[in-house]
């Protein structure tokens, strides 16, 4: 073969290799790993540092960072619409009944301010929301999940369509699976995502229907006693701090203890009970109860898919100056 031909093929295969490498780095969503490496190289380190500082002062912030991913990215687009305040015309997502219990939004502003001091107008609130969730998972003892960045911020609340996307804790398992399948998360992924119930707490408002007027017979009797102690009122005051820890054994740790609990009928919510008993999900519950590595593998993959759900990239959306309000355009 002539030298020129050899050079041509060498260049051709180098080009193919480069294209394949790029395809691995950039997802169909337009997001990439380390998007800010040139525009704000310290961004991810600053976010991680702030998450850890806040976690040391307020342990429950890590639960909030994780919940934010579900409540923002699960509703049509991962664009920080969850963080917007209500306006005279529009109700915010975070003030709907479905967002009951979500809190610590002010600390996301703390993270945003720290990033803005380093790189004004560069890093989106949507990326801060996702990366704080990633680092919060690590703070809770969960896996480190490499997540892509490059999201931009939406300008409108999606409170009016929230019910169409987020499954409720009383929904049938068919509805739960369908909602997540619609954004590309398979059954083991859904089972793993619900493992987030291994941390945090459930307000009595969300579970008294399993205790009053009659106790749900499927609940473990020993656990019922604890639940009744924590939730003594059939109609609890939603403003009162009345709650039950999701996992009494390791309440501050993201682990597979949740799956052992629900197999023992100690799940607080209807969806927990269904997860352990539905023939489509029970085999995965058993596998995750036996293997934390198996749980973490599917959890990491599902979080990656969820955070890449229909983001705004390129010239779409904006980079908000403050996470709770859209920029003013004159």
């Amino acid at each position: 073969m002539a030298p020129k031909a050899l050079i041509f093929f060498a260049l051709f295969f180098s080009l193919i290799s480069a294209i394949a490498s790029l395809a691995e780095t950039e997802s169909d969503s337009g997001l990439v790993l380390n998007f800010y490496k040139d525009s704000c190289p310290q961004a991810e380190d600053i976010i991680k540092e702030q998450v850890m500082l806040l976690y040391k002062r307020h342990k429950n912030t890590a639960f909030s960072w994780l919940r934010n991913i579900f409540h923002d990215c699960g509703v049509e687009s991962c664009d920080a619409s969850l963080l917007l305040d209500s306006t005279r015309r529009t109700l915010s997502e975070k003030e709907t009944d479905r967002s009951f219990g979500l809190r610590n939004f002010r600390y996301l502003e703390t993270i945003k301010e720290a990033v803005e001091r380093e790189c004004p107008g560069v890093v989106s609130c949507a990326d801060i929301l996702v990366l704080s969730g990633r680092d919060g998972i690590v703070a809770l003892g969960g896996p480190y999940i490499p997540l892509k960045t490059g999201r931009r911020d939406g300008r409108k609340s999606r409170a009016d369509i929230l019910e169409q996307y987020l499954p409720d804790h009383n929904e049938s398992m068919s509805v739960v699976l369908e909602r997540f399948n619609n954004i590309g998360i398979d059954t083991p992924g859904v089972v793993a995502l619900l493992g987030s119930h291994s941390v945090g707490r459930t307000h009595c408002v969300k579970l008294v229907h399993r205790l009053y007027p009659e106790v749900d017979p499927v609940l473990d009797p020993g656990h019922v006693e604890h639940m009744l102690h924590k939730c003594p009122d059939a109609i609890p005051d939603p403003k009162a701090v009345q709650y039950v820890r999701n996992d009494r054994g390791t309440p501050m740790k993201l682990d597979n203890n949740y799956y052992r609990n629900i197999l023992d009928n100690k799940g607080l919510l209807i969806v927990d009970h269904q997860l352990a008993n539905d023939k489509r999900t029970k085999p995965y519950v058993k596998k995750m109860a036996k293997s934390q590595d198996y749980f973490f593998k599917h959890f990491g993959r599902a979080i990656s898919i969820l955070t890449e759900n229909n983001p705004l990239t390129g010239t779409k959306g904006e980079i908000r100056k403050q996470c709770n309000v859209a920029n003013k355009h004159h």
Side-chain angles (χ1 to χ4, degrees):
M1 190 177 288
K4 285 185 178 179
L6 287 171
I7 292 169
F8 169 78
F9 281 111
L11 289 171
F12 175 76
F13 285 115
S14 293
L15 180 62
I16 292 296
S17 176
I19 291 170
S21 176
L22 183 63
E24 287 178 7
T25 306
E26 184 164 349
S27 65
D28 293 338
S29 61
L31 304 176
V32 295
L33 289 170
N34 205 10
F35 177 82
Y36 299 105
K37 67 181 185 297
D38 296 322
S39 58
C40 188
Q42 299 302 313
E44 295 199 22
D45 288 337
I46 292 169
I47 293 167
K48 180 180 178 181
E49 179 185 32
Q50 289 295 315
V51 165
M52 296 313 294
L53 283 171
L54 288 162
Y55 179 67
K56 285 177 182 177
R57 294 177 202 154
H58 316 281
K59 296 292 185 188
N60 64 13
T61 53
F63 313 144
S64 300
W65 308 146
L66 179 52
R67 281 193 74 188
N68 287 344
I69 289 178
F70 294 103
H71 283 261
D72 186 61
C73 299
V75 184
E76 196 172 57
S77 174
C78 204
D79 67 348
S81 59
L82 173 69
L83 306 181
L84 290 170
D85 289 342
S86 292
T87 65
R88 284 177 294 178
R89 296 180 179 179
T90 311
L91 177 69
S92 71
E93 292 171 40
K94 61 187 177 186
E95 291 178 24
T96 62
D97 290 343
R98 186 60 65 84
S99 298
F100 178 80
L102 287 178
R103 58 195 186 283
N104 292 322
F105 294 112
R106 65 187 182 280
Y107 295 131
L108 271 177
E109 291 294 344
T110 301
I111 300 173
K112 172 68 168 173
E113 288 165 8
V115 175
E116 286 292 301
R117 285 194 291 272
E118 179 73 19
C119 311
V122 174
V123 182
S124 69
C125 296
D127 277 340
I128 290 172
L129 181 151
V130 164
L131 294 176
S132 63
R134 178 193 71 183
D135 297 333
I137 288 166
V138 173
L140 293 167
Y144 174 81
I145 308 166
L147 296 179
K148 295 173 182 175
T149 43
R151 298 166 193 77
R152 288 168 66 84
D153 300 321
R155 291 184 49 78
K156 63 178 183 178
S157 162
R158 293 190 166 83
D160 57 331
I161 58 169
L162 191 148
E163 297 286 342
Q164 300 171 32
Y165 291 89
L166 280 185
D168 186 63
H169 58 90
N170 290 321
E171 301 274 20
S172 70
M173 189 49 58
S174 293
V175 170
V176 174
L177 291 172
E178 181 188 10
R179 296 280 173 89
F180 283 111
N181 288 345
N182 287 342
I183 56 178
I185 298 174
D186 60 13
T187 300
V190 175
V191 175
L193 283 179
L194 285 170
S196 298
H197 289 175
S198 111
V199 293
R201 60 195 190 183
T202 298
H203 199 288
C204 292
V205 166
K206 297 287 188 181
L207 54 86
V208 286
H209 63 286
R210 301 193 74 191
L211 301 173
Y212 304 97
E214 295 179 353
V215 172
D216 187 335
V218 302
L219 284 167
D220 173 77
H223 206 54
V224 167
E225 187 178 344
H226 173 70
M227 292 168 70
L228 287 168
H229 174 70
K230 292 290 187 178
C231 302
D233 303 312
I235 306 175
D237 179 358
K239 294 181 181 178
V241 185
Q242 290 182 301
Y243 62 85
V244 182
R245 290 283 182 192
N246 289 341
D247 178 357
R248 292 172 67 187
T250 55
M252 303 296 291
K253 191 174 180 183
L254 182 67
D255 60 18
N256 65 336
N257 203 39
Y258 164 76
Y259 300 103
R260 291 190 284 270
N261 285 338
I262 63 176
L263 287 170
D264 289 339
N265 296 313
K266 294 178 182 177
L268 300 181
L269 301 171
I270 294 290
V271 71
D272 299 326
H273 174 71
Q274 291 187 120
L275 195 71
N277 289 277
D278 190 284
K279 64 182 180 181
R280 293 165 292 184
T281 54
K282 188 172 184 176
Y284 300 110
V285 170
K286 287 183 172 180
K287 285 184 181 180
M288 291 181 195
K290 288 180 181 176
S291 171
Q292 183 145 289
D293 288 341
Y294 182 79
F295 163 43
F296 281 175
K297 181 182 80 170
H298 285 283
F299 182 78
R301 189 164 58 87
I303 289 287
S304 295
I305 294 169
L306 184 59
T307 57
E308 292 181 26
N309 180 31
N310 194 30
L312 302 176
T313 57
T315 57
K316 296 176 182 176
E318 63 184 19
I319 305 296
R320 284 183 216 149
K321 294 183 175 67
Q322 291 177 240
C323 291
N324 63 325
V325 290
N327 296 341
K328 292 181 180 178
H329 293 274
H330 299 290

